[in-house]
Amino acid sequence: MTKFEQLPEDVVAEILSRLPVKSLLQCKSVRKNWCTLIQNPSFIAKHHHNPNNAPLSFVHHYSLDAMKSGFSLFHEQTQFLASHSYQDYTKTRASVWEINGPLNGLFSLYNDEEEVTLWNPATREAKSLPVSYPPVSASFRMNSYKLGFGMDPSSGEYKVVWIRDYWDPILDGWHSSSIISVYTLTTDSWKHSEEFKICSRLIGKSCCNTYLDGFYYWRANNNGKIISFDMGNEVFGEIQTPETFKSTQGDLALYNDCVAMFLYESMNMQTGIDVWVMDKEMCWTKMAILGPFSNIKRPLGYGKNGEVFLEIVNSEVHMYDPRIKGIRALGPRRKGYSLQASVFKESLVSVKSLVAQK
């Protein structure tokens, strides 16, 4: 009988890539060559995309009982797994206001002390980003912001873009332009610019992750256009949209690996959702009409197979599956409200080791 240590390296890698992250972290202390393998970027990618690494539904919510934000995980078949507080994972006392991601299993978190943290829920590793001091007077106050989290695909660099508008109390008006700050993980540093005429207060926050193929996207509130940020060249762009985007309530999201706009409106206690998808030529097509649904407040996010997370009027989270044209409840009801939802896969990516590579 062949012993495990006598197996070829590629066979060992295949076996280990089927294990959950928690087991792999334990395996790192078993054998030195296993530790080296598990930290290898090729193995990390292989594990992340392994079919055994089942996707989970990730719901970001605020608990009225605890008076702080947290997250819940659900199996793909909507089986409830667990609810957690961000503070238990990230060692911060502040409440998380906003999440961006996931991207290769990582999230960026923004809390009520204006701190940004990169976080891997599977490994429980969190890295607080250095404080970002913009080149403005200390008397200025940040009154509006938008965040994006993505990657430069040519270099593999993880980046955070932070658009901030400041109020000048002396002049009683807005600072002349937004401050654009870009953080790069490997250098662990921020760069600031006032070059772009982008106002965060005129940009809508996406309801879930809108990073795709090197670009992060937001919807402009004033004209319905889409604002893009190129993570490689660090420049902004503007994308035209159909006229209906200007006058209809909606959220930007990803749908079946495409940038999409979910337009929704209520009539007679019924809410219908129109799904518009942008192709690679930046042309828009109405891809689907979902609903109408009863007692729906809004969509929260979207699954890997076109599922839609929905917030119900009683603050429960339900999932609509267009394949079966049915709605299912996600887990037990919480005393609070849900904020965002997305699909998450466990990852071995280490934010701290990426900084160490600089």
Side-chain angles (χ1 to χ4, degrees):
M1 182 180 293
T2 302
K3 295 183 179 179
F4 193 87
E5 57 267 22
Q6 295 175 326
L7 292 173
E9 186 174 325
D10 59 335
V11 175
V12 173
E14 180 62 34
I15 294 172
L16 292 179
S17 70
R18 298 167 182 259
L19 298 178
V21 167
K22 184 177 180 179
S23 298
L24 289 170
L25 296 179
Q26 295 170 339
C27 288
K28 289 174 67 176
S29 60
V30 175
R31 299 176 64 89
K32 185 176 180 180
N33 62 327
W34 287 8
C35 181
T36 301
L37 172 66
I38 291 168
Q39 295 176 141
N40 184 286
S42 296
F43 178 84
I44 290 173
K46 179 182 179 68
H47 171 268
H48 185 61
H49 296 292
N50 194 295
N52 281 12
N53 187 6
L56 303 174
S57 298
F58 182 103
V59 178
H60 168 53
H61 57 79
Y62 187 84
S63 169
L64 291 175
D65 289 332
M67 297 297 289
K68 59 185 178 182
S69 55
F71 66 96
S72 296
L73 293 173
F74 304 85
H75 191 269
E76 190 173 18
Q77 281 74 41
T78 71
Q79 176 187 355
F80 175 68
L81 297 179
S83 287
H84 305 277
S85 165
Y86 289 108
Q87 286 82 346
D88 296 337
Y89 274 58
T90 61
K91 309 303 180 186
T92 177
R93 292 174 296 176
S95 185
V96 173
W97 281 2
E98 180 182 331
I99 64 171
N100 274 288
L103 172 56
N104 296 331
L106 301 182
F107 289 88
S108 73
L109 309 178
Y110 180 77
N111 66 29
D112 56 10
E113 294 181 359
E114 299 182 12
E115 298 170 332
V116 183
T117 299
L118 295 184
W119 172 56
N120 184 330
T123 63
R124 296 202 172 200
E125 186 183 67
K127 171 177 169 47
S128 297
L129 274 54
V131 178
S132 172
Y133 294 106
V136 296
S137 169
S139 65
F140 286 11
R141 294 291 177 266
M142 184 181 72
N143 276 22
S144 176
Y145 74 92
K146 292 297 179 296
L147 284 161
F149 173 49
M151 172 191 283
D152 175 1
S154 64
S155 65
E157 295 268 18
Y158 290 91
K159 295 183 178 182
V160 174
V161 56
W162 194 354
I163 310 169
R164 289 176 283 185
D165 290 352
Y166 284 86
W167 185 262
D168 184 343
I170 297 176
L171 296 179
D172 195 28
W174 292 101
H175 180 56
S176 58
S177 61
S178 296
I179 306 297
I180 312 299
S181 302
V182 179
Y183 170 84
T184 302
L185 179 57
T186 54
T187 62
D188 196 27
S189 62
W190 293 90
K191 292 186 295 185
H192 307 287
S193 170
E194 296 185 49
E195 175 184 354
F196 302 101
K197 303 303 179 183
I198 301 290
C199 293
S200 68
R201 58 190 184 275
L202 298 179
I203 297 176
K205 181 173 72 68
S206 301
C207 64
C208 55
N209 178 41
T210 47
Y211 165 82
L212 183 67
D213 298 335
F215 290 83
Y216 196 90
Y217 299 90
W218 303 267
R219 181 193 187 187
N221 292 329
N222 58 329
N223 56 21
K225 294 180 181 179
I226 305 300
I227 305 298
S228 66
F229 181 77
D230 185 334
M231 289 286 173
N233 297 321
E234 299 183 0
V235 296
F236 287 90
E238 195 174 72
I239 301 170
Q240 296 291 334
T241 61
E243 283 293 318
T244 187
F245 285 19
K246 296 180 181 179
S247 57
T248 310
Q249 185 177 10
D251 293 311
L252 199 64
L254 299 182
Y255 185 78
N256 290 342
D257 296 323
C258 294
V259 176
M261 179 68 78
F262 284 70
L263 302 178
Y264 51 96
E265 55 185 350
S266 298
M267 185 177 296
N268 299 323
M269 302 298 292
Q270 298 279 310
T271 301
I273 303 173
D274 292 343
V275 183
W276 289 77
V277 172
M278 184 179 75
D279 62 23
K280 293 183 179 180
E281 282 70 44
M282 300 184 183
C283 295
W284 294 84
T285 303
K286 185 187 288 189
M287 184 63 64
I289 300 174
L290 308 180
F293 305 108
S294 299
N295 300 319
I296 299 296
K297 288 173 67 176
R298 64 191 179 100
L300 290 171
Y302 310 93
K304 69 181 184 70
N305 295 312
E307 304 93 340
V308 183
F309 296 97
L310 300 167
E311 184 181 13
I312 311 303
V313 291
N314 63 4
S315 297
E316 289 184 13
V317 179
H318 287 199
M319 175 184 280
Y320 172 75
D321 189 336
R323 295 170 296 182
I324 62 173
K325 299 187 184 302
I327 293 181
R328 297 171 290 177
L330 285 184
R333 181 180 177 184
R334 292 182 301 272
K335 186 179 179 182
Y337 48 90
S338 299
L339 302 169
Q340 293 167 263
S342 58
V343 175
F344 163 73
K345 291 185 72 173
E346 287 193 338
S347 166
L348 289 159
V349 174
S350 170
V351 291
K352 294 181 178 178
S353 67
L354 289 171
V355 175
Q357 294 176 11
K358 64 182 179 179

